[in-house]
Amino acid sequence: MTDADAYIEDFARFIQASPSSYHAAAEVGRRLEAAGFDRLNEADAWAMPKPKGRKPRRQFVIRDGAVVAWNIPAGASGLTPFRILGSHTDSPGFKLKPNGSISAHGWRQASVEVYGGPLLNSWLDRELELAGRIVTRDGREVLARTGPYLRIPQLAIHLDREANDGLKLDRQQHTQPIFGTVGAGEDSILAVLADSAGVRVDDIAGFDILAADTAAPARFGAGRSLFAAGRLDNLTSVYASLVALLQAKPAAGSISVLAAFDHEELGSSSRSGANGPLLEDVLTRIGSGLGASSDDRHRSWAASWCVSADAGHAVHPNYPDRHDPANRPVAGGGTLLKLNANQRYASDAHGSALWQRLADAAGAPVQVFVSNNTVPCGSTIGPLTATRLGIRTVDVGVPLLSMHSARELCHVDDAVALADTVTAFYAGS
Protein backbone atom coordinates (compact mmCIF):
# COMPACT_ATOMS: atom_id res chain seq x y z
CA MET A 1 0.00 0.00 0.00
CA THR A 2 1.17 3.51 -0.80
CA ASP A 3 2.17 5.77 2.09
CA ALA A 4 -0.52 8.47 1.94
CA ASP A 5 1.56 11.23 3.56
CA ALA A 6 4.53 10.78 1.22
CA TYR A 7 2.25 10.39 -1.79
CA ILE A 8 0.30 13.60 -1.21
CA GLU A 9 3.41 15.61 -0.36
CA ASP A 10 5.04 14.62 -3.63
CA PHE A 11 1.79 15.04 -5.55
CA ALA A 12 1.68 18.64 -4.30
CA ARG A 13 5.20 19.18 -5.62
CA PHE A 14 4.17 17.67 -8.95
CA ILE A 15 1.18 20.03 -9.20
CA GLN A 16 3.33 23.07 -8.41
CA ALA A 17 5.77 22.06 -11.14
CA SER A 18 2.91 21.68 -13.66
CA PRO A 19 1.02 24.97 -14.15
CA SER A 20 0.39 24.15 -17.83
CA SER A 21 0.12 21.03 -19.96
CA TYR A 22 3.60 21.75 -21.33
CA HIS A 23 5.07 21.95 -17.84
CA ALA A 24 3.24 18.76 -16.83
CA ALA A 25 4.65 16.82 -19.79
CA ALA A 26 8.12 18.19 -19.06
CA GLU A 27 7.87 17.26 -15.37
CA VAL A 28 6.77 13.73 -16.23
CA GLY A 29 9.72 13.53 -18.62
CA ARG A 30 12.14 14.86 -16.03
CA ARG A 31 11.06 12.24 -13.51
CA LEU A 32 11.17 9.47 -16.09
CA GLU A 33 14.72 10.39 -17.11
CA ALA A 34 15.76 10.48 -13.46
CA ALA A 35 14.43 6.93 -13.17
CA GLY A 36 16.43 5.73 -16.17
CA PHE A 37 13.93 6.09 -19.03
CA ASP A 38 15.34 7.17 -22.40
CA ARG A 39 13.73 10.06 -24.24
CA LEU A 40 13.15 9.46 -27.95
CA ASN A 41 12.65 11.99 -30.74
CA GLU A 42 9.73 11.25 -33.07
CA ALA A 43 11.72 12.47 -36.07
CA ASP A 44 14.50 9.93 -35.44
CA ALA A 45 14.57 6.23 -36.17
CA TRP A 46 13.69 4.40 -32.98
CA ALA A 47 16.33 1.85 -32.12
CA MET A 48 14.29 -0.73 -30.28
CA PRO A 49 15.98 -4.10 -30.20
CA LYS A 50 14.22 -6.77 -28.21
CA PRO A 51 15.11 -6.61 -24.51
CA LYS A 52 17.70 -9.17 -23.58
CA GLY A 53 18.14 -11.02 -20.33
CA ARG A 54 16.21 -9.35 -17.53
CA LYS A 55 16.75 -5.75 -18.60
CA PRO A 56 13.60 -3.96 -19.85
CA ARG A 57 13.51 -1.16 -22.40
CA ARG A 58 12.04 1.96 -20.81
CA GLN A 59 11.44 4.92 -23.11
CA PHE A 60 9.20 7.93 -23.63
CA VAL A 61 8.33 10.65 -26.10
CA ILE A 62 6.90 14.14 -25.58
CA ARG A 63 4.68 15.72 -28.23
CA ASP A 64 3.79 19.30 -27.33
CA GLY A 65 1.85 19.07 -24.03
CA ALA A 66 1.45 15.29 -24.16
CA VAL A 67 3.74 12.48 -23.07
CA VAL A 68 3.71 8.74 -23.75
CA ALA A 69 6.05 6.39 -21.86
CA TRP A 70 6.44 2.63 -21.96
CA ASN A 71 8.18 -0.24 -20.22
CA ILE A 72 8.95 -3.25 -22.45
CA PRO A 73 9.88 -6.33 -20.42
CA ALA A 74 12.31 -9.00 -21.44
CA GLY A 75 10.75 -11.55 -23.75
CA ALA A 76 8.31 -9.12 -25.39
CA SER A 77 7.45 -9.68 -29.05
CA GLY A 78 5.29 -8.12 -31.72
CA LEU A 79 2.33 -10.05 -30.32
CA THR A 80 2.74 -8.74 -26.76
CA PRO A 81 -0.38 -6.80 -25.65
CA PHE A 82 -0.32 -3.38 -24.00
CA ARG A 83 -1.66 -2.17 -20.67
CA ILE A 84 -2.32 1.54 -21.22
CA LEU A 85 -3.24 4.16 -18.64
CA GLY A 86 -4.70 7.19 -20.41
CA SER A 87 -5.11 10.62 -18.80
CA HIS A 88 -4.84 14.28 -19.80
CA THR A 89 -2.53 17.15 -18.89
CA ASP A 90 -4.73 20.19 -19.61
CA SER A 91 -7.35 21.93 -17.45
CA PRO A 92 -10.02 24.58 -18.13
CA GLY A 93 -8.99 28.20 -17.71
CA PHE A 94 -7.78 31.10 -19.83
CA LYS A 95 -5.29 31.38 -22.69
CA LEU A 96 -3.35 34.51 -23.59
CA LYS A 97 -4.37 36.05 -26.91
CA PRO A 98 -1.95 37.53 -29.45
CA ASN A 99 -1.30 41.21 -28.72
CA GLY A 100 -2.09 40.25 -25.15
CA SER A 101 -1.62 43.65 -23.43
CA ILE A 102 -4.48 46.17 -23.38
CA SER A 103 -5.21 49.32 -21.38
CA ALA A 104 -8.53 50.57 -20.07
CA HIS A 105 -9.44 53.35 -17.62
CA GLY A 106 -5.97 53.57 -16.14
CA TRP A 107 -5.53 49.80 -15.77
CA ARG A 108 -3.28 47.50 -17.77
CA GLN A 109 -4.90 44.21 -18.61
CA ALA A 110 -4.10 40.93 -20.28
CA SER A 111 -6.29 39.91 -23.20
CA VAL A 112 -7.30 36.29 -22.66
CA GLU A 113 -9.55 33.73 -24.29
CA VAL A 114 -11.60 31.19 -22.36
CA TYR A 115 -10.05 27.70 -22.62
CA GLY A 116 -12.49 24.82 -22.25
CA GLY A 117 -15.32 25.05 -19.73
CA PRO A 118 -14.07 26.63 -16.49
CA LEU A 119 -16.27 27.75 -13.60
CA LEU A 120 -15.65 31.41 -14.43
CA ASN A 121 -16.53 32.84 -11.02
CA SER A 122 -13.92 30.61 -9.33
CA TRP A 123 -11.15 32.52 -11.12
CA LEU A 124 -12.12 35.85 -9.61
CA ASP A 125 -9.89 37.55 -7.01
CA ARG A 126 -7.01 35.08 -7.27
CA GLU A 127 -3.37 35.79 -7.93
CA LEU A 128 -2.69 34.11 -11.27
CA GLU A 129 0.45 33.38 -13.22
CA LEU A 130 1.07 32.97 -16.92
CA ALA A 131 2.65 29.66 -17.89
CA GLY A 132 3.25 27.67 -21.04
CA ARG A 133 5.69 27.54 -23.92
CA ILE A 134 7.47 30.06 -26.11
CA VAL A 135 8.85 29.24 -29.56
CA THR A 136 11.73 31.40 -30.75
CA ARG A 137 12.47 32.55 -34.29
CA ASP A 138 14.93 29.70 -34.76
CA GLY A 139 12.28 27.12 -33.74
CA ARG A 140 13.56 26.49 -30.23
CA GLU A 141 10.87 25.71 -27.63
CA VAL A 142 11.30 26.94 -24.04
CA LEU A 143 9.00 26.90 -21.03
CA ALA A 144 7.89 30.12 -19.36
CA ARG A 145 6.09 30.96 -16.12
CA THR A 146 5.80 34.33 -14.47
CA GLY A 147 4.80 33.60 -10.90
CA PRO A 148 1.94 35.74 -9.47
CA TYR A 149 1.22 38.43 -12.06
CA LEU A 150 -2.51 38.71 -12.84
CA ARG A 151 -5.86 39.05 -11.10
CA ILE A 152 -9.46 39.12 -12.35
CA PRO A 153 -11.10 41.56 -9.92
CA GLN A 154 -14.71 41.10 -8.97
CA LEU A 155 -17.10 44.03 -8.95
CA ALA A 156 -17.76 45.32 -5.42
CA ILE A 157 -21.14 44.43 -3.91
CA HIS A 158 -21.90 48.16 -3.59
CA LEU A 159 -21.88 48.41 -7.40
CA ASP A 160 -23.93 45.25 -8.00
CA ARG A 161 -26.44 44.71 -5.21
CA GLU A 162 -27.89 41.65 -6.99
CA ALA A 163 -24.55 39.81 -7.28
CA ASN A 164 -25.50 37.30 -4.56
CA ASP A 165 -28.79 36.56 -6.31
CA GLY A 166 -27.08 35.34 -9.48
CA LEU A 167 -23.69 36.39 -10.80
CA LYS A 168 -23.47 36.37 -14.60
CA LEU A 169 -20.08 36.98 -16.19
CA ASP A 170 -19.62 38.03 -19.79
CA ARG A 171 -16.81 35.84 -21.17
CA GLN A 172 -15.22 38.81 -22.97
CA GLN A 173 -15.94 41.88 -20.89
CA HIS A 174 -15.67 40.52 -17.34
CA THR A 175 -12.77 38.05 -17.51
CA GLN A 176 -9.82 40.19 -18.63
CA PRO A 177 -7.29 40.21 -15.76
CA ILE A 178 -5.37 43.25 -14.56
CA PHE A 179 -1.61 43.28 -14.07
CA GLY A 180 -0.82 46.93 -13.36
CA THR A 181 -1.71 50.54 -13.91
CA VAL A 182 -0.89 52.73 -16.87
CA GLY A 183 2.48 54.39 -16.33
CA ALA A 184 3.59 52.04 -13.55
CA GLY A 185 6.24 49.98 -15.31
CA GLU A 186 5.85 49.69 -19.04
CA ASP A 187 7.25 46.20 -19.63
CA SER A 188 4.98 44.23 -21.92
CA ILE A 189 3.59 40.84 -20.98
CA LEU A 190 5.82 39.31 -23.64
CA ALA A 191 8.86 40.94 -22.04
CA VAL A 192 7.95 39.44 -18.67
CA LEU A 193 7.43 36.02 -20.25
CA ALA A 194 10.70 36.31 -22.17
CA ASP A 195 12.56 37.16 -19.00
CA SER A 196 11.06 34.17 -17.18
CA ALA A 197 12.11 31.90 -20.05
CA GLY A 198 15.60 33.34 -20.45
CA VAL A 199 15.11 34.57 -24.02
CA ARG A 200 15.02 37.99 -25.69
CA VAL A 201 11.57 39.37 -26.33
CA ASP A 202 12.52 40.08 -29.97
CA ASP A 203 13.24 36.38 -30.43
CA ILE A 204 9.68 35.30 -29.58
CA ALA A 205 7.92 34.05 -32.71
CA GLY A 206 4.99 32.25 -31.11
CA PHE A 207 3.57 31.21 -27.75
CA ASP A 208 0.97 29.01 -26.07
CA ILE A 209 0.48 30.62 -22.68
CA LEU A 210 -2.28 29.95 -20.14
CA ALA A 211 -3.24 31.35 -16.76
CA ALA A 212 -2.87 29.25 -13.62
CA ASP A 213 -3.77 29.77 -9.97
CA THR A 214 -0.65 30.34 -7.86
CA ALA A 215 -2.09 29.26 -4.49
CA ALA A 216 -0.19 26.29 -3.10
CA PRO A 217 -1.96 22.93 -2.74
CA ALA A 218 -3.33 22.39 0.77
CA ARG A 219 -4.11 19.35 2.88
CA PHE A 220 -6.67 20.18 5.55
CA GLY A 221 -9.87 19.22 7.36
CA ALA A 222 -10.70 16.51 9.88
CA GLY A 223 -7.75 14.15 10.04
CA ARG A 224 -6.15 16.22 7.26
CA SER A 225 -8.09 13.99 4.89
CA LEU A 226 -8.98 16.63 2.27
CA PHE A 227 -6.72 17.95 -0.47
CA ALA A 228 -7.33 21.08 -2.52
CA ALA A 229 -5.36 22.38 -5.50
CA GLY A 230 -5.66 23.66 -9.00
CA ARG A 231 -5.70 21.19 -11.92
CA LEU A 232 -6.70 18.09 -9.95
CA ASP A 233 -8.68 17.39 -13.11
CA ASN A 234 -6.63 15.69 -14.38
CA LEU A 235 -3.21 15.76 -12.73
CA THR A 236 -4.57 13.24 -10.18
CA SER A 237 -4.52 10.63 -12.96
CA VAL A 238 -1.29 11.79 -14.62
CA TYR A 239 0.58 11.55 -11.33
CA ALA A 240 -0.98 8.23 -10.33
CA SER A 241 0.01 6.69 -13.66
CA LEU A 242 3.56 8.04 -13.33
CA VAL A 243 3.99 6.66 -9.82
CA ALA A 244 2.58 3.29 -10.90
CA LEU A 245 4.76 3.08 -14.02
CA LEU A 246 7.88 3.78 -11.97
CA GLN A 247 7.17 1.28 -9.20
CA ALA A 248 5.37 -1.62 -10.92
CA LYS A 249 7.15 -4.23 -13.01
CA PRO A 250 5.15 -4.95 -16.19
CA ALA A 251 2.95 -7.99 -15.97
CA ALA A 252 4.35 -11.10 -17.58
CA GLY A 253 3.49 -10.90 -21.26
CA SER A 254 2.45 -7.25 -21.41
CA ILE A 255 3.93 -3.80 -22.09
CA SER A 256 3.09 -1.00 -19.65
CA VAL A 257 2.17 2.36 -21.24
CA LEU A 258 1.50 5.80 -19.75
CA ALA A 259 -0.38 8.08 -22.17
CA ALA A 260 -1.04 11.62 -20.91
CA PHE A 261 -2.75 13.60 -23.67
CA ASP A 262 -3.32 17.33 -24.14
CA HIS A 263 -6.49 19.20 -25.19
CA GLU A 264 -9.03 16.86 -23.57
CA GLU A 265 -10.91 19.89 -22.31
CA LEU A 266 -11.35 21.04 -25.91
CA GLY A 267 -12.51 17.70 -27.31
CA SER A 268 -9.11 16.05 -27.86
CA SER A 269 -8.97 16.74 -31.62
CA SER A 270 -5.34 17.78 -32.02
CA ARG A 271 -1.99 16.20 -32.83
CA SER A 272 -1.36 15.74 -29.11
CA GLY A 273 -4.94 14.90 -28.13
CA ALA A 274 -6.51 11.48 -27.65
CA ASN A 275 -8.49 11.87 -30.88
CA GLY A 276 -5.25 12.45 -32.78
CA PRO A 277 -2.66 9.91 -33.95
CA LEU A 278 -0.22 10.05 -31.02
CA LEU A 279 -1.03 6.79 -29.24
CA GLU A 280 -1.53 4.88 -32.48
CA ASP A 281 1.81 6.19 -33.75
CA VAL A 282 3.63 5.09 -30.61
CA LEU A 283 2.03 1.64 -30.35
CA THR A 284 2.67 1.00 -34.04
CA ARG A 285 6.32 1.98 -33.76
CA ILE A 286 6.83 -0.12 -30.64
CA GLY A 287 5.29 -3.11 -32.39
CA SER A 288 7.40 -2.56 -35.50
CA GLY A 289 10.51 -2.40 -33.34
CA LEU A 290 9.55 -5.76 -31.87
CA GLY A 291 9.05 -7.29 -35.32
CA ALA A 292 5.25 -7.11 -35.51
CA SER A 293 3.53 -7.66 -38.84
CA SER A 294 0.25 -5.84 -39.56
CA ASP A 295 -1.65 -8.93 -38.42
CA ASP A 296 0.50 -9.20 -35.28
CA ARG A 297 -0.26 -5.58 -34.42
CA HIS A 298 -4.01 -6.08 -34.58
CA ARG A 299 -3.78 -9.28 -32.55
CA SER A 300 -1.75 -7.42 -29.93
CA TRP A 301 -4.27 -4.60 -29.72
CA ALA A 302 -7.18 -7.04 -29.51
CA ALA A 303 -5.58 -8.50 -26.37
CA SER A 304 -4.74 -5.08 -24.88
CA TRP A 305 -6.46 -2.95 -22.24
CA CYS A 306 -6.75 0.80 -21.75
CA VAL A 307 -7.75 2.36 -18.45
CA SER A 308 -9.02 5.89 -19.09
CA ALA A 309 -8.49 7.71 -15.79
CA ASP A 310 -10.15 11.10 -15.36
CA ALA A 311 -11.87 12.97 -12.56
CA GLY A 312 -15.49 12.33 -11.62
CA HIS A 313 -18.04 13.78 -9.22
CA ALA A 314 -18.58 13.05 -5.54
CA VAL A 315 -22.08 13.78 -4.27
CA HIS A 316 -22.25 17.47 -3.37
CA PRO A 317 -23.87 17.81 0.07
CA ASN A 318 -25.50 21.13 -0.86
CA TYR A 319 -26.85 19.89 -4.21
CA PRO A 320 -27.71 16.19 -3.68
CA ASP A 321 -30.52 16.37 -6.26
CA ARG A 322 -27.98 16.76 -9.07
CA HIS A 323 -26.76 13.18 -8.58
CA ASP A 324 -28.21 9.77 -9.34
CA PRO A 325 -30.43 8.69 -6.42
CA ALA A 326 -29.15 5.07 -6.39
CA ASN A 327 -25.44 5.54 -7.10
CA ARG A 328 -23.98 8.18 -4.82
CA PRO A 329 -20.16 8.16 -4.64
CA VAL A 330 -18.65 9.91 -1.65
CA ALA A 331 -15.24 11.40 -0.98
CA GLY A 332 -13.08 8.81 0.75
CA GLY A 333 -15.18 5.95 -0.63
CA GLY A 334 -12.64 4.87 -3.25
CA THR A 335 -12.08 5.24 -6.96
CA LEU A 336 -14.93 5.68 -9.41
CA LEU A 337 -15.98 3.14 -12.01
CA LYS A 338 -17.69 5.41 -14.54
CA LEU A 339 -20.63 4.05 -16.54
CA ASN A 340 -22.91 5.63 -19.12
CA ALA A 341 -25.57 4.01 -21.30
CA ASN A 342 -24.84 6.40 -24.18
CA GLN A 343 -21.12 5.60 -24.33
CA ARG A 344 -19.97 8.92 -22.95
CA TYR A 345 -17.73 6.56 -20.99
CA ALA A 346 -16.25 3.44 -22.59
CA SER A 347 -16.80 1.08 -19.64
CA ASP A 348 -18.73 -2.13 -20.23
CA ALA A 349 -19.27 -5.31 -18.20
CA HIS A 350 -15.78 -6.63 -18.98
CA GLY A 351 -14.22 -3.31 -17.98
CA SER A 352 -16.23 -3.25 -14.77
CA ALA A 353 -15.01 -6.72 -13.91
CA LEU A 354 -11.40 -5.77 -14.66
CA TRP A 355 -11.45 -2.68 -12.45
CA GLN A 356 -13.06 -4.62 -9.59
CA ARG A 357 -10.40 -7.34 -9.85
CA LEU A 358 -7.65 -4.73 -9.81
CA ALA A 359 -9.17 -2.96 -6.82
CA ASP A 360 -9.47 -6.24 -4.95
CA ALA A 361 -5.82 -7.02 -5.66
CA ALA A 362 -4.81 -3.54 -4.46
CA GLY A 363 -7.04 -3.66 -1.39
CA ALA A 364 -8.67 -0.44 -2.59
CA PRO A 365 -12.41 0.37 -2.54
CA VAL A 366 -14.47 1.11 -5.67
CA GLN A 367 -17.73 2.98 -6.13
CA VAL A 368 -19.90 3.38 -9.21
CA PHE A 369 -20.62 6.70 -10.89
CA VAL A 370 -23.56 7.19 -13.25
CA SER A 371 -25.25 10.49 -14.03
CA ASN A 372 -28.67 11.65 -13.03
CA ASN A 373 -30.81 11.29 -16.18
CA THR A 374 -31.55 15.02 -16.18
CA VAL A 375 -27.88 16.04 -15.79
CA PRO A 376 -25.91 14.64 -18.76
CA CYS A 377 -22.29 13.80 -18.03
CA GLY A 378 -19.21 14.95 -19.88
CA SER A 379 -17.01 12.54 -21.78
CA THR A 380 -13.38 11.44 -21.57
CA ILE A 381 -10.56 10.10 -23.69
CA GLY A 382 -11.96 6.59 -23.15
CA PRO A 383 -14.50 6.42 -26.00
CA LEU A 384 -12.03 8.14 -28.34
CA THR A 385 -9.29 5.60 -27.64
CA ALA A 386 -11.67 2.67 -27.97
CA THR A 387 -13.03 4.06 -31.25
CA ARG A 388 -9.66 4.88 -32.81
CA LEU A 389 -7.82 1.70 -31.86
CA GLY A 390 -10.44 -0.91 -30.99
CA ILE A 391 -8.70 -1.51 -27.66
CA ARG A 392 -11.07 -2.48 -24.86
CA THR A 393 -11.32 0.47 -22.46
CA VAL A 394 -12.70 1.17 -19.01
CA ASP A 395 -13.33 4.65 -17.60
CA VAL A 396 -12.40 5.33 -13.99
CA GLY A 397 -11.26 8.22 -11.82
CA VAL A 398 -11.17 10.02 -8.50
CA PRO A 399 -14.29 11.76 -7.11
CA LEU A 400 -13.97 15.54 -6.83
CA LEU A 401 -15.97 18.50 -5.64
CA SER A 402 -15.74 21.81 -7.57
CA MET A 403 -14.68 20.19 -10.83
CA HIS A 404 -13.49 22.81 -13.36
CA SER A 405 -13.01 25.34 -10.61
CA ALA A 406 -9.69 27.15 -10.41
CA ARG A 407 -9.22 25.08 -7.23
CA GLU A 408 -10.71 21.59 -6.89
CA LEU A 409 -11.12 19.23 -3.93
CA CYS A 410 -10.52 15.51 -3.43
CA HIS A 411 -10.01 13.06 -0.57
CA VAL A 412 -6.45 11.92 0.13
CA ASP A 413 -7.50 8.26 0.38
CA ASP A 414 -9.09 8.31 -3.09
CA ALA A 415 -5.97 9.71 -4.73
CA VAL A 416 -3.91 6.97 -3.08
CA ALA A 417 -6.47 4.30 -4.03
CA LEU A 418 -6.15 5.31 -7.68
CA ALA A 419 -2.37 4.94 -7.58
CA ASP A 420 -2.60 1.55 -5.88
CA THR A 421 -5.17 0.24 -8.36
CA VAL A 422 -3.25 1.50 -11.38
CA THR A 423 -0.12 -0.16 -9.97
CA ALA A 424 -2.06 -3.43 -9.84
CA PHE A 425 -3.13 -2.84 -13.46
CA TYR A 426 0.43 -2.49 -14.68
CA ALA A 427 1.53 -5.46 -12.56
CA GLY A 428 -1.08 -7.68 -14.17
CA SER A 429 -3.40 -8.44 -11.28
PDB file of all heavy atoms in Angstrom, residues 26 48 131 140 210 273 285 290 351 429:
ATOM      1  N   ALA A  26       6.690  18.064 -19.341  1.00  0.00           N
ATOM      2  CA  ALA A  26       8.122  18.187 -19.058  1.00  0.00           C
ATOM      3  C   ALA A  26       8.473  17.601 -17.697  1.00  0.00           C
ATOM      4  O   ALA A  26       9.524  16.963 -17.537  1.00  0.00           O
ATOM      5  CB  ALA A  26       8.542  19.659 -19.125  1.00  0.00           C
ATOM      6  N   MET A  48      15.067  -0.024 -31.288  1.00  0.00           N
ATOM      7  CA  MET A  48      14.287  -0.728 -30.284  1.00  0.00           C
ATOM      8  C   MET A  48      14.514  -2.233 -30.385  1.00  0.00           C
ATOM      9  O   MET A  48      13.599  -2.999 -30.678  1.00  0.00           O
ATOM     10  CB  MET A  48      12.808  -0.387 -30.437  1.00  0.00           C
ATOM     11  CG  MET A  48      11.970  -0.672 -29.205  1.00  0.00           C
ATOM     12  SD  MET A  48      10.276  -0.115 -29.449  1.00  0.00           S
ATOM     13  CE  MET A  48      10.518   1.650 -29.600  1.00  0.00           C
ATOM     14  N   ALA A 131       1.733  30.797 -17.750  1.00  0.00           N
ATOM     15  CA  ALA A 131       2.647  29.663 -17.891  1.00  0.00           C
ATOM     16  C   ALA A 131       2.362  28.931 -19.191  1.00  0.00           C
ATOM     17  O   ALA A 131       1.210  28.835 -19.633  1.00  0.00           O
ATOM     18  CB  ALA A 131       2.503  28.697 -16.715  1.00  0.00           C
ATOM     19  N   ARG A 140      13.295  27.077 -31.548  1.00  0.00           N
ATOM     20  CA  ARG A 140      13.556  26.486 -30.232  1.00  0.00           C
ATOM     21  C   ARG A 140      12.344  26.689 -29.327  1.00  0.00           C
ATOM     22  O   ARG A 140      11.728  27.753 -29.305  1.00  0.00           O
ATOM     23  CB  ARG A 140      14.800  27.136 -29.626  1.00  0.00           C
ATOM     24  CG  ARG A 140      15.273  26.530 -28.312  1.00  0.00           C
ATOM     25  CD  ARG A 140      16.704  26.987 -28.014  1.00  0.00           C
ATOM     26  NE  ARG A 140      16.805  28.440 -28.014  1.00  0.00           N
ATOM     27  CZ  ARG A 140      16.790  29.176 -26.904  1.00  0.00           C
ATOM     28  NH1 ARG A 140      16.683  28.593 -25.722  1.00  0.00           N
ATOM     29  NH2 ARG A 140      16.907  30.491 -26.974  1.00  0.00           N
ATOM     30  N   LEU A 210      -1.017  30.015 -20.871  1.00  0.00           N
ATOM     31  CA  LEU A 210      -2.276  29.949 -20.139  1.00  0.00           C
ATOM     32  C   LEU A 210      -2.124  30.538 -18.744  1.00  0.00           C
ATOM     33  O   LEU A 210      -1.007  30.685 -18.242  1.00  0.00           O
ATOM     34  CB  LEU A 210      -2.757  28.497 -20.040  1.00  0.00           C
ATOM     35  CG  LEU A 210      -3.117  27.872 -21.390  1.00  0.00           C
ATOM     36  CD1 LEU A 210      -1.988  26.967 -21.863  1.00  0.00           C
ATOM     37  CD2 LEU A 210      -4.429  27.117 -21.325  1.00  0.00           C
ATOM     38  N   GLY A 273      -3.737  15.313 -28.844  1.00  0.00           N
ATOM     39  CA  GLY A 273      -4.940  14.905 -28.131  1.00  0.00           C
ATOM     40  C   GLY A 273      -5.255  13.441 -28.365  1.00  0.00           C
ATOM     41  O   GLY A 273      -4.729  12.792 -29.282  1.00  0.00           O
ATOM     42  N   ARG A 285       4.861   1.971 -33.690  1.00  0.00           N
ATOM     43  CA  ARG A 285       6.323   1.978 -33.763  1.00  0.00           C
ATOM     44  C   ARG A 285       6.946   1.012 -32.763  1.00  0.00           C
ATOM     45  O   ARG A 285       7.966   0.376 -33.055  1.00  0.00           O
ATOM     46  CB  ARG A 285       6.843   3.404 -33.563  1.00  0.00           C
ATOM     47  CG  ARG A 285       6.433   4.350 -34.685  1.00  0.00           C
ATOM     48  CD  ARG A 285       6.990   5.747 -34.513  1.00  0.00           C
ATOM     49  NE  ARG A 285       8.422   5.785 -34.829  1.00  0.00           N
ATOM     50  CZ  ARG A 285       9.117   6.919 -34.927  1.00  0.00           C
ATOM     51  NH1 ARG A 285       8.504   8.093 -34.725  1.00  0.00           N
ATOM     52  NH2 ARG A 285      10.401   6.898 -35.215  1.00  0.00           N
ATOM     53  N   LEU A 290       9.534  -4.401 -32.421  1.00  0.00           N
ATOM     54  CA  LEU A 290       9.550  -5.760 -31.875  1.00  0.00           C
ATOM     55  C   LEU A 290       9.245  -6.804 -32.950  1.00  0.00           C
ATOM     56  O   LEU A 290       9.009  -7.973 -32.638  1.00  0.00           O
ATOM     57  CB  LEU A 290       8.539  -5.877 -30.734  1.00  0.00           C
ATOM     58  CG  LEU A 290       8.853  -5.035 -29.488  1.00  0.00           C
ATOM     59  CD1 LEU A 290       7.693  -5.084 -28.503  1.00  0.00           C
ATOM     60  CD2 LEU A 290      10.135  -5.509 -28.815  1.00  0.00           C
ATOM     61  N   GLY A 351     -15.016  -4.338 -18.638  1.00  0.00           N
ATOM     62  CA  GLY A 351     -14.217  -3.312 -17.982  1.00  0.00           C
ATOM     63  C   GLY A 351     -14.534  -3.191 -16.508  1.00  0.00           C
ATOM     64  O   GLY A 351     -13.643  -3.010 -15.668  1.00  0.00           O
ATOM     65  N   SER A 429      -2.478  -7.776 -12.194  1.00  0.00           N
ATOM     66  CA  SER A 429      -3.397  -8.443 -11.275  1.00  0.00           C
ATOM     67  C   SER A 429      -4.729  -8.744 -11.958  1.00  0.00           C
ATOM     68  O   SER A 429      -5.139  -8.038 -12.873  1.00  0.00           O
ATOM     69  CB  SER A 429      -3.643  -7.564 -10.055  1.00  0.00           C
ATOM     70  OG  SER A 429      -2.447  -7.358  -9.344  1.00  0.00           O
TER      71      SER A 429
END
